[in-house]
Amino acid sequence: TGTSCRMMSCQPSPWYRGRWVASMMRKDETMGAGAMGHMETSMFEQCGYGREAIQARLERNWTEMFEGPDKIYWENDEGLGYVMDTGNHDVRTEGMSYAMMIAVQYDRKDVFDKLWGWVMKYMFMTEGLHKGYFAWSVDLSGVPNADGPAPDGEEYFAMALFLASGRWGDGEGVYEYSRHARSILHTCVHRGEDGEGYPMWNPENHLIKFIPETEWTDPSYHLPHFYEVFAQRADEADRPFWREAAAASRRYLVTACHPETGMNPEYSNYDGTPHVDERDHWHFYSDAYRTAGNIGLDCLWNGVVPELCDANARLQRFFLEHDRTCVYAVDGTPVDETVLHPVGFIAATAEGSLAAMHSQEPDALDNAIRWVRLLWDTPIRTGMRRYYDNFLYAFAFLALAGEYRVW
């Protein structure tokens, strides 16, 4: 059974602050049939929680999200499956790709295939300006609400498909996972070269765009840990692009995180400054919460980037000292608004402990442990807004349990 992670009983052993990735993780250098990302001793365990208790929480997360009375997953009469954004009553590439990632992590090929089958039938665009991308919002019957993509969906689709191929092998047709992953990434890089459409990554600075038509970005879209995998599995001609994309995103994230608070805006310019326009997304708000978790997972899989570890440590310190229900500008100025996704915020910030624990910022390790404890003591969300929060919750639990893997 698990025990509470009391600060006195959860002091790190001598190696704890060092390269935890190298000392704790079994890593197959080829990232093929192995399971890179699995940890011999997880951060939850280092905080005193027992393996049986951790496994029970992981199993409960699946049940709550995919099977229980507050689930977000349903199947239709065709035997296909979809996830509903319960706050907006639609199906989004964000949620479908997240659900596919969770399904492959939980070894649920049946659910994965039902989700991917729904995506290809109702979201994939076969013509027009955005041919080869996926409509980011579709109603529950499969009728598109949008005629354009949101790039976080495409990158999660590609990654989940590569992992499915590595874990289960490729099938045929729509279930030839790795072929579809490569095709998605080819479109993301090369769309528009024939004069129609736009790429999802800027070809010069290698940074992901907010949407293909724009020349600005969303910090939470930057997933260098995914791009490292793409650099090994995408079309061979594009692999150098993805290697540079990983490096470019890490450099960019350093500039996007405020040097004192660690917060990043929802939308930003390529230089990391908040992107200010009529959308009003330049504060540390919903999308922005994901960035700390992404930095943590990248650290777990690929090693320490000191500046990003420090950014997460500053973020954690700020929100241990300030009201966590308040929205803030990235410099720490309070905004007259309330956090919409408090559970998701706690989850992603706790996942950020995987990087913050390596920081040399004052009290960084102790604060990282406090955030892990806070997540453990926070129940999964119920109610209308549970969709987004619980995806971030599930991802954080997988990462902190040492079970967010690459096959």
Side-chain angles (χ1 to χ4, degrees), residues 303-383:
V304 170
V305 178
E307 298 89 344
L308 294 178
C309 296
D310 290 345
N312 273 12
R314 292 168 189 143
L315 179 75
Q316 291 189 335
R317 182 174 64 240
F318 181 91
F319 281 103
L320 289 172
E321 298 173 349
H322 293 79
D323 181 3
R324 290 193 289 273
T325 67
C326 178
V327 176
Y328 296 89
V330 296
D331 66 358
T333 302
V335 177
D336 187 19
E337 195 167 355
T338 301
V339 169
L340 185 63
H341 298 289
V343 173
F345 162 63
I346 289 170
T349 307
E351 184 179 356
S353 293
L354 292 164
M357 59 171 285
H358 298 287
S359 173
Q360 298 302 310
E361 288 284 308
D363 300 320
L365 180 57
D366 288 345
N367 290 343
I369 293 169
R370 290 176 67 184
W371 277 95
V372 174
R373 293 181 65 197
L374 179 59
L375 173 61
W376 185 271
D377 293 337
T378 299
I380 199 166
R381 190 170 186 180
T382 58

Side-chain angles (χ1 to χ4, degrees), residues 56-334:
R57 291 293 291 270
L58 292 173
E59 292 172 1
R60 189 166 75 189
N61 289 349
W62 175 272
T63 300
E64 291 284 345
M65 294 179 67
F66 288 86
E67 298 171 1
D70 291 315
K71 67 181 181 179
I72 57 174
Y73 170 79
W74 287 268
E75 296 180 3
N76 63 16
D77 294 338
E78 303 167 293
L80 300 176
Y82 63 91
V83 164
M84 180 175 71
D85 179 340
T86 52
N88 293 288
H89 301 284
D90 64 350
V91 182
R92 302 186 170 201
T93 53
E94 169 195 72
M96 294 296 279
S97 61
Y98 281 11
M100 286 168 57
M101 178 62 76
I102 290 174
V104 71
Q105 296 297 328
Y106 277 81
D107 198 19
R108 289 298 300 267
K109 185 177 185 298
D110 57 331
V111 173
F112 186 99
D113 286 351
K114 291 173 183 178
L115 290 162
W116 179 235
W118 203 99
V119 168
M120 286 300 291
K121 182 167 184 177
Y122 295 115
M123 305 182 104
F124 185 63
M125 293 181 284
T126 59
E127 59 185 12
L129 184 68
H130 296 300
K131 178 181 178 181
Y133 295 140
F134 298 84
W136 74 268
S137 173
V138 174
D139 74 19
L140 304 185
S141 68
V143 177
N145 296 321
D147 59 4
D152 57 336
E154 271 71 4
E155 58 185 346
Y156 261 90
F157 282 139
M159 187 65 172
L161 288 163
F162 278 137
L163 301 194
S165 175
R167 184 161 203 179
W168 303 316
D170 284 329
E172 297 181 353
V174 71
Y175 300 113
E176 190 178 353
Y177 308 124
S178 64
R179 178 174 65 84
H180 286 284
R182 289 192 298 272
S183 178
I184 292 168
L185 296 181
H186 180 86
T187 301
C188 289
V189 173
H190 297 288
R191 183 68 178 156
E193 290 179 350
D194 61 357
E196 184 176 11
Y198 304 88
M200 280 191 172
W201 271 257
N202 181 290
E204 297 178 359
N205 63 28
H206 296 82
L207 298 179
I208 191 170
K209 305 177 184 182
F210 175 68
I211 57 174
E213 296 93 323
T214 63
E215 288 299 340
W216 43 277
T217 187
D218 179 327
S220 73
Y221 284 8
H222 289 256
L223 308 175
H225 45 303
F226 284 15
Y227 311 154
E228 296 284 3
V229 176
F230 298 168
Q232 297 189 32
R233 304 188 190 182
D235 289 341
E236 190 167 352
D238 291 334
R239 292 177 184 180
F241 178 93
W242 292 113
R243 281 192 290 273
E244 180 52 38
S249 279
R250 292 187 184 108
R251 292 192 298 267
Y252 157 80
L253 286 170
V254 172
T255 70
C257 296
H258 192 275
E260 295 179 7
T261 69
M263 285 188 273
N264 62 270
E266 280 200 289
Y267 303 162
S268 96
N269 302 311
Y270 288 142
D271 64 1
T273 57
H275 181 78
V276 179
D277 66 8
E278 69 281 358
R279 293 176 176 85
D280 191 27
H281 287 278
W282 55 87
H283 302 313
F284 183 71
Y285 195 61
S286 301
D287 270 20
Y289 305 153
R290 299 180 291 196
T291 302
N294 295 337
I295 291 170
L297 190 58
D298 184 32
C299 187
L300 175 65
W301 286 2
N302 297 300
V304 170
V305 178
E307 298 89 344
L308 294 178
C309 296
D310 290 345
N312 273 12
R314 292 168 189 143
L315 179 75
Q316 291 189 335
R317 182 174 64 240
F318 181 91
F319 281 103
L320 289 172
E321 298 173 349
H322 293 79
D323 181 3
R324 290 193 289 273
T325 67
C326 178
V327 176
Y328 296 89
V330 296
D331 66 358
T333 302

